[in-house]
């Protein structure tokens, strides 16, 4: 197969932990042609979607992960698979890229489906299953958010389009959180997610990776000393984890929606048995899961596409 990875620049890849690199490596090891492309290279000529595609060889040597080959403009329909791995936020540029990808013919599979990327906001999608979620408020009014924190004692406030732990603040009922809320909402002009703080977060949050709605496994992300955020990009560390019955119940409940929206590969975040996020743009932790389990899950993902 020809597999194109629509992603952030290659020089930003961190091979020791990057999930996209790990998927590219598996594709290369399985004999497929691997290509790199970026959002800014997409163009539509009539109804033909084109992109500047760079063929790459992928190596296990983290000091020299890629050998860069030919780069030229070509029809993206020459690819059998396009894996969208551009990091969020899902801004206007990202949104319009998904609209362009809709012009690809059925012979080119886009993972995850453009419509799913547009319709399933990573912070809001979980609320389609409120029975599994902690108390949550989506708002931009300072008074509403402050009242929510007062009701629940403490709240986690995060931007609806955030990622990697960026922009997350903690608001307590007994403190003056208006400055934090004003900053998070940009003075009331931006919606945020306010969720009841779950004390179990001190023990970490569980990232479960799903392929075709079936769980591959789980990784526990634990914050660094003196920090509260468990995100790996915010200094957290990964540890082995297993799925319990509650986790399996949540995964099973999500299956119809994931299939309906064309979500092939995703990661869900669970704290204390509560679903807090569904990550579909560029879910991470695949390398950690492979290392802890001793299973080549990155090959399983590519095999599923085959």
């Amino acid at each position: 197969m020809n597999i194109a990875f629509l992603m952030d620049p290659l020089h930003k890849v961190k091979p020791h932990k990057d999930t996209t690199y790990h998927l590219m490596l598996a594709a290369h090891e399985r004999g497929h042609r691997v290509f790199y492309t970026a959002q800014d290279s997409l163009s539509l000529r009539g109804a033909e979607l084109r992109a500047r595609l760079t063929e790459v060889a992928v190596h296990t040597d983290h000091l020299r992960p890629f050998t860069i080959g030919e780069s030229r403009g070509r029809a993206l329909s020459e690819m059998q698979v396009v894996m969208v791995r551009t990091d969020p936020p899902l801004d206007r540029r990202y949104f319009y890229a998904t609209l362009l990808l809709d012009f690809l013919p059925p012979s080119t599979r886009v993972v995850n489906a453009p419509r799913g990327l547009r319709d399933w906001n990573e912070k809001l999608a979980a609320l389609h299953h409120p029975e599994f979620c902690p108390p949550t408020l989506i708002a931009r009014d300072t008074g509403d958010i402050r009242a929510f924190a007062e009701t629940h004692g403490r709240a986690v406030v995060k931007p609806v389009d955030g990622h990697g732990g960026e922009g997350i603040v903690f608001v307590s009922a007994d403190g003056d959180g208006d400055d934090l809320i004003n900053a998070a909402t940009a003075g009331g002009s931006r919606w945020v997610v306010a969720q009841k703080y779950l004390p179990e977060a001190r023990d970490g949050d569980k990232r479960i990776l799903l392929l075709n709605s079936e769980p591959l496994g789980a990784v526990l992300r634990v914050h660094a000393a003196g920090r509260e955020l468990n995100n790996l990009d915010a200094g957290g560390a990964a540890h082995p984890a297993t799925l319990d019955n509650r986790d399996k119940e949540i995964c099973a409940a999500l299956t119809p929606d994931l299939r309906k929206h064309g979500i092939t590969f995703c990661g869900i975040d669970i704290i204390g048995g509560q679903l807090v996020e569904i990550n579909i743009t560029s879910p991470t932790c695949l390398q950690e899961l492979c290392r802890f389990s001793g299973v080549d899950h990155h090959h399983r993902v590519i095999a599923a596409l085959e």
Side-chain angles (χ1 to χ4, degrees):
M1 293 193 299
N2 293 336
I3 305 180
F5 289 80
L6 179 61
M7 56 187 285
D8 295 320
L10 288 176
H11 71 268
K12 293 186 176 181
V13 168
K14 299 176 181 177
H16 66 283
K17 70 172 187 176
D18 194 285
T19 291
T20 305
Y21 160 77
H22 215 38
L23 292 169
M24 296 171 80
L25 178 63
H28 179 79
E29 289 178 339
R30 298 178 72 83
H32 303 300
R33 296 180 68 187
V34 178
F35 296 84
Y36 157 80
T37 191
Q39 285 181 349
D40 59 10
S41 80
L42 297 177
S43 64
L44 197 62
R45 301 184 185 183
E48 181 184 70
L49 182 60
R50 298 183 63 83
R52 177 158 293 280
L53 291 159
T54 302
E55 188 164 8
V56 295
V58 192
H59 312 296
T60 56
D61 182 356
H62 290 174
L63 296 178
R64 193 178 67 91
F66 304 112
T67 297
I68 308 299
E70 179 190 27
S71 178
R72 65 182 177 90
R74 56 201 296 178
L76 202 54
S77 60
E78 295 178 24
M79 303 293 110
Q80 280 71 55
V81 175
V82 175
M83 293 204 74
V84 183
R85 295 287 306 174
T86 308
D87 285 341
L90 205 157
D91 52 15
R92 287 171 64 91
R93 182 181 64 174
Y94 206 126
F95 174 79
Y96 284 115
T98 67
L99 292 177
L100 293 176
L101 290 169
D102 279 337
F103 280 86
L104 286 170
S107 55
T108 300
R109 183 177 182 182
V110 183
V111 178
N112 288 309
R115 69 182 185 278
L117 294 172
R118 286 194 300 271
D119 294 347
W120 263 43
N121 176 275
E122 299 192 323
K123 300 295 188 294
L124 305 185
L127 295 176
H128 289 291
H129 296 271
E131 68 275 19
F132 297 117
C133 299
T136 302
L137 170 71
I138 312 297
R140 63 187 200 186
D141 180 83
T142 301
D144 288 346
I145 299 167
R146 183 175 59 248
F148 180 87
E150 291 172 351
T151 298
H152 296 287
R154 195 175 193 226
V156 180
V157 178
K158 49 192 174 182
V160 294
D161 59 354
H163 65 100
E166 293 181 5
I168 295 179
V169 297
F170 298 88
V171 179
S172 299
D174 57 357
D176 184 7
D178 283 358
D179 288 344
L180 291 174
I181 296 170
N182 275 324
T185 62
S189 65
R190 184 169 58 203
W191 277 282
V192 297
V193 180
Q195 284 185 329
K196 177 184 177 181
Y197 175 75
L198 300 173
E200 294 90 343
R202 300 189 188 102
D203 300 321
D205 67 65
K206 189 180 293 187
R207 164 62 59 87
I208 300 174
L209 291 174
L210 296 97
L211 174 64
N212 289 328
S213 306
E214 296 294 329
L216 294 174
V219 169
L220 185 69
R221 303 180 299 180
V222 180
H223 57 80
R227 306 285 293 273
E228 286 199 87
L229 296 179
N230 294 316
N231 307 70
L232 300 188
D233 285 342
H239 299 270
T242 57
L243 275 70
D244 58 27
N245 289 334
R246 173 71 168 183
D247 300 329
K248 295 174 183 177
E249 180 186 7
I250 292 173
C251 292
L254 294 178
T255 295
D257 276 342
L258 294 175
R259 292 179 176 172
K260 175 183 177 182
H261 288 87
I263 307 302
T264 300
F265 181 59
C266 71
I268 66 174
D269 296 339
I270 295 178
I271 299 175
Q274 301 289 301
L275 176 66
V276 294
E277 286 187 19
I278 302 175
N279 299 274
I280 64 171
T281 50
S282 57
T284 60
C285 292
L286 184 62
Q287 284 210 47
E288 291 81 1
L289 179 61
C290 292
R291 185 164 62 249
F292 295 147
S293 66
V295 177
D296 289 336
H297 290 295
H298 56 320
H299 278 261
R300 290 184 63 186
V301 175
I302 302 303
L305 301 177
E306 293 167 357

